[in-house]
Amino acid sequence: MATNVTSGDVRRTGREAAGNRWFHWLSRAGLAARGVIYVLIGSLAVQIGLGGEGGAEADKKGALETVAGSPGGKVILWLLVIGFAGLALWRYAEALYGQPIPEGDKATKRLASLARGVFYSLVCAAVLNFTLGGGAESSNEQSQNFTAKAMGEPGGRWLVLAIGAGFMAWGIGGIVNALRRKFTEKLKTGQMAPRTRKVVELLGMVGRSARGLVFGAAGVFLAYAAITFDPDKAKGLDGTLRTFADTPAGPWVLVAVAIGLVTFGVYSFCEARWRKVETVRS
């Protein structure tokens, strides 16, 4: 006898899955995976600033190559694949059921989670491809190839400009929210000792500000590429970071920003421990 499955049944099943403790642990594993990548990217950027990078690129490609060359690298790569898959699924769950913060069920919050879900899906796919032996494209190549392809289409130039402006806005917003400590709304601060909370807040303020600065700067280069109609002006994470070394203060600016990215990686481990990953009940 056929069983009728309604949309309500599907939604209820999805909510039960998203509320499962195993799903929460998978989400936390994703936050830890993000921490690993940022610690490695920041460390590579520090080496670049000190003049000893050995040809490595301070982006996802460089981080994955570092992992692959370490003992047990293959196992770690598969763990990263699983982690980023969990991170993407968690964000999709938030898009469906809301974020566990005040007004987390608003449409803007859900759309933001959806966008992050898509982003982490792409990261997961890239890590999986690398793990299976497909190699990885540098962030500079990705940015320039995307910009060239987009600007070859009708209206593509305006799309690139809009994306660049979006990165700039996201970067500035990230810095402002970091300094205002808005990120603490997403943490289970009640489970922290007072001294621990102060340390986590400091890590979040420094790390999130550094990440906002880097991605905001990458947005500037994207917008400049669109304005000048020159895809080569676009820069990925590695190219953006290296630009900081060209400032009047020299490579020490790059080192400072790089340490900030390492700090964000460490903060991500704190989120893996104390982040609110349960979805809002409707």
Side-chain angles (χ1 to χ4, degrees), residues 110-269:
R110 293 177 184 245
L111 285 174
S113 291
L114 177 61
R116 291 186 177 99
V118 172
F119 172 77
Y120 286 121
S121 294
L122 295 174
V123 174
C124 180
V127 178
L128 176 61
N129 181 66
F130 181 88
T131 303
L132 294 175
E137 191 176 30
S138 73
S139 58
N140 293 324
E141 292 173 337
Q142 287 180 327
S143 183
Q144 291 172 1
N145 291 341
F146 164 77
T147 302
K149 185 175 181 180
M151 291 199 300
E153 301 294 332
R157 184 178 186 181
W158 297 107
L159 173 63
V160 174
L161 181 60
I163 293 175
F167 270 111
M168 285 188 283
W170 182 82
I172 294 172
I175 295 172
V176 172
N177 288 336
L179 297 179
R180 294 176 61 192
R181 294 180 291 184
K182 293 286 288 182
F183 58 89
T184 58
E185 296 178 353
K186 303 176 181 179
L187 302 176
K188 297 179 179 179
T189 54
Q191 297 182 2
M192 303 177 189
R195 181 173 296 180
T196 300
R197 176 172 179 170
K198 290 181 180 179
V199 172
V200 172
E201 286 182 353
L202 179 60
L203 291 172
M205 291 172 66
V206 174
R208 285 179 168 271
S209 294
R211 185 180 65 157
L213 176 62
V214 172
F215 280 92
V220 171
F221 288 119
L222 266 179
Y224 185 57
I227 293 172
T228 59
F229 207 70
D230 184 358
D232 291 338
K233 299 296 184 183
K235 295 182 184 294
L237 183 56
D238 178 75
T240 301
L241 285 169
R242 291 175 187 269
T243 303
F244 286 110
D246 296 331
T247 62
W252 293 110
V253 176
L254 170 57
V255 172
V257 174
I259 292 174
L261 292 183
V262 173
T263 303
F264 180 75
V266 175
Y267 168 76
S268 293
F269 297 137

